[in-house]
Amino acid sequence: MQKFFSDAVEFFPILLQGVWLTVVVTIGSLALSTVFGLFWALLRVSGIGVLASLSAGLINVIRGIPIIVLLFFLYFVMPDFGVALTALQASILGLGIAYSAYQSENFRAGIEAIDKGQIEAAQTIGMGWWLTMRRVVLPQAIKIVLPPYGNIMIMMLKDSSQASTITVAELALQGKLIASSTFKNTSVFTLVALMYLTMSIPLILLVRHFEKKANRK
Amino acid sequence: MIELTDIYKSFGKVEVLKGISASIAKREVVCIIGPSGSGKSTILRCINGLESYDRGDIRIEGIRVDRNAPSIVSVRTQVSMVFQRFNLFPHRTALENVIAGPIYVKKEPRAEALERGRALLERVGLSEKADVYPPQLSGGQQQRVAIARALAMQPKAILFDEPTSALDPELVGDVLGVMRKLADDGMTMVVVTHEMAFAKDVADRVLFIDGGVIVEQGPAKSVLNQPQHARTQDFLRRVLHPL
């Protein structure tokens, strides 16, 4: 135990650099997946057949490819087509695209949960599609969508470790590098696990808060 | 003011409207009665473009109703609708429901819309409920807010789709009272209803619809008191004397 603490004091600052990248990857891909996911979901409920099936097909393609393969594709294959991304860019883009499929299904469920009668009522006072979305549907859908959204945040935080496979030195990769050079596997990976857990706890509390709020209504 | 010419409408293989023609004049109150599934609500939904129609022509003050044309927005701001299930926005207060159309669609200044909104709530007898959310209101109160919301668009006509069918019996009177006041004020109204007493008292004209066609029409009192057609007689007998 004492040994763990002395190791922890030694490795903590190095791992903290990894934490910074973990946070950057998580927030970046969260933002990207939210924007993409909302866009796919709006296409899906647009009522325009071509756009809806395009979105549905795209979501299935994204869902059917493992995140790690998507990352390899962006980082190792895209340069062949003249698109060279840095490892950080590729990991944010890859995770963002991968998660946009789940975000989209979540948003769609929230949007479709709103009573059709309200949408008709909005139409009868002259609101168009977008105005109805913005003023009637989305403000209510957001309450339904938030608890699962929080869960997606937690999953993204953990899946950001997949960026290590394309050389992004985030927390997991920093841990692996220290472990392989010091052979202190137990201390290092225990510390890494604790650091992920520490970052998850505020998110878990946030989800609980969202759920309470959603149930109150 | 509202002209329907030979309207046909099918849902899949089921033909719901089979050649409906009617004309509703300004300040006229027309009640549409008939058995369920006869196409009453579909007529209203076609008039303000919530449904498309397959054949025929619907015009509101000369403008053709086409739910896919940009003109549909102006049609809908001129012809409001009140629904059986109220369809208020539950995340907005009663007053916010009323002013949503004026501020978002008509771009009225907020202060002006608020003032008018309060006046409308007072007109339907709910001035003290302005800041209450719809789920906290009774069905009758919700429906009166919905009427105020329709009025806020300053429409030339209001369509009512079974406005009292989802209400507890003791709340029906409040809503009908508000509607009667509107009729007295000269609002053009098309009302799909099962309230025969209301139709008799308030309507200028009654259309009896069955099987997607207008079976009988005429002044309210004569259709309801001396129905000519056997199907109208049969329907009225069953509605007025259910036992």
Side-chain angles (χ1 to χ4, degrees):
Chain A
M1 200 61 182
Q2 192 133 41
K3 206 161 156 309
F4 173 72
F5 282 120
S6 63
D7 286 346
V9 171
E10 188 185 345
F11 300 140
F12 191 75
I14 310 172
L15 289 174
L16 220 46
Q17 294 167 11
V19 167
W20 167 241
L21 273 173
T22 293
V23 169
V24 169
V25 170
T26 306
I27 291 176
S29 48
L30 184 71
L32 207 59
S33 68
T34 304
V35 173
F36 281 159
L38 190 59
F39 186 62
W40 306 148
L42 289 175
L43 290 186
R44 192 74 189 272
V45 300
S46 63
I48 300 166
V50 186
L51 295 182
S53 29
L54 186 80
S55 159
L58 198 64
I59 287 166
N60 280 329
V61 169
I62 296 171
R63 265 202 299 215
I65 300 173
I67 294 174
I68 200 169
V69 176
L70 205 58
L71 293 178
F72 288 165
F73 215 89
L74 287 171
Y75 190 57
F76 298 120
V77 180
M78 289 315 274
D80 291 351
F81 296 97
V83 182
L85 298 171
T86 67
L88 185 63
Q89 289 166 345
S91 59
I92 289 176
L93 188 61
L95 281 161
I97 291 172
Y99 268 88
S100 71
Y102 304 110
Q103 298 276 30
S104 163
E105 291 297 274
N106 180 28
F107 293 149
R108 181 167 70 101
I111 290 169
E112 288 181 346
I114 305 305
D115 178 25
K116 292 276 174 298
Q118 284 183 45
I119 296 168
E120 290 189 340
Q123 287 176 358
T124 60
I125 54 173
M127 288 192 182
W129 185 84
W130 175 239
L131 199 54
T132 305
M133 274 293 156
R134 197 158 62 101
R135 295 296 182 184
V136 178
V137 178
L138 294 180
Q140 297 182 74
I142 206 164
K143 285 194 192 114
I144 302 167
V145 157
L146 271 179
Y149 188 84
N151 281 319
I152 291 176
M153 281 164 72
I154 297 170
M155 280 159 61
M156 289 193 92
L157 171 68
K158 295 183 294 175
D159 270 343
S160 68
S161 60
Q162 301 214 41
S164 65
T165 58
I166 54 168
T167 76
V168 177
E170 44 64 72
L171 182 52
L173 185 56
Q174 286 288 22
K176 198 177 147 216
L177 292 174
I178 299 171
S180 56
S181 59
T182 62
F183 301 108
K184 290 178 174 167
N185 286 311
T186 315
S187 302
V188 173
F189 286 121
T190 307
L191 197 57
V192 167
L194 285 174
M195 288 169 87
Y196 272 114
L197 193 60
T198 311
M199 287 189 279
S200 298
I201 286 169
L203 296 179
I204 293 168
L205 293 175
L206 194 66
V207 171
R208 216 162 63 182
H209 172 72
F210 287 155
E211 277 170 350
K212 266 195 205 141
K213 232 173 128 179
N215 288 338
R216 238 197 337 251
K217 255 269 153 171
Chain B
M1 152 177 199
I2 302 173
E3 300 279 344
L4 294 90
T5 318
D6 207 22
I7 302 302
Y8 282 79
K9 162 80 183 167
S10 302
F11 290 111
K13 287 209 169 109
V14 186
E15 201 167 38
V16 195
L17 302 181
K18 302 170 191 166
I20 299 279
S21 294
S23 166
I24 291 135
K26 206 164 250 169
R27 304 174 76 86
E28 195 178 19
V29 177
V30 174
C31 279
I32 303 180
I33 61 170
S36 47
S38 57
K40 305 181 300 277
S41 294
T42 309
I43 296 176
L44 289 194
R45 295 170 60 83
C46 286
I47 291 176
N48 74 350
L50 282 180
E51 300 282 358
S52 58
Y53 46 99
D54 304 332
R55 257 198 307 141
D57 196 41
I58 300 179
R59 286 178 186 271
I60 289 167
E61 298 210 311
I63 299 167
R64 189 182 146 86
V65 178
D66 176 355
R67 71 192 303 259
N68 296 315
S71 62
I72 193 67
V73 173
S74 85
V75 164
R76 283 172 176 157
T77 53
Q78 291 178 49
V79 180
S80 279
M81 183 143 170
V82 172
F83 297 86
Q84 182 177 356
R85 301 219 48 88
F86 334 128
N87 296 346
L88 294 177
F89 309 133
H91 62 304
R92 295 300 182 95
T93 63
L95 183 58
E96 287 168 344
N97 265 277
V98 174
I99 64 170
I103 59 177
Y104 297 138
V105 178
K106 290 193 158 176
K107 312 276 180 214
E108 262 179 44
R110 197 179 167 85
E112 211 171 282
L114 279 170
E115 193 180 325
R116 226 159 47 75
R118 283 185 211 284
L120 284 169
L121 283 177
E122 195 174 337
R123 193 166 160 196
V124 298
L126 288 174
S127 41
E128 78 285 8
K129 299 286 186 190
D131 299 320
V132 177
Y133 287 87
Q136 269 93 53
L137 295 171
S138 75
Q141 291 168 336
Q142 287 190 52
Q143 193 60 299
R144 284 184 280 154
V145 174
I147 293 173
R149 178 174 67 177
L151 285 171
M153 297 306 288
Q154 295 171 310
K156 293 180 176 146
I158 303 184
L159 312 173
F160 293 83
D161 187 4
E162 302 198 26
T164 57
S165 297
L167 299 179
D168 290 337
E170 82 269 23
L171 302 175
V172 168
D174 292 341
V175 172
L176 292 182
V178 168
M179 289 168 63
R180 177 202 287 270
K181 249 189 349 193
L182 280 183
D184 291 345
D185 293 347
M187 177 59 76
T188 310
M189 294 162 64
V190 184
V191 186
V192 169
T193 187
H194 293 295
E195 298 292 336
M196 295 305 147
F198 176 82
K200 209 176 281 185
D201 268 12
V202 180
D204 299 305
R205 203 145 54 90
V206 165
L207 309 183
F208 173 70
I209 297 200
D210 193 11
V213 295
I214 299 176
V215 174
E216 185 167 351
Q217 61 173 309
K221 288 201 173 68
S222 74
V223 172
L224 295 171
N225 291 334
Q226 293 107 32
Q228 299 301 307
H229 203 285
R231 274 195 282 172
T232 320
Q233 292 164 1
D234 185 47
F235 172 76
L236 287 173
R237 193 164 45 240
R238 276 185 290 156
V239 172
L240 297 174
H241 309 287
L243 286 179

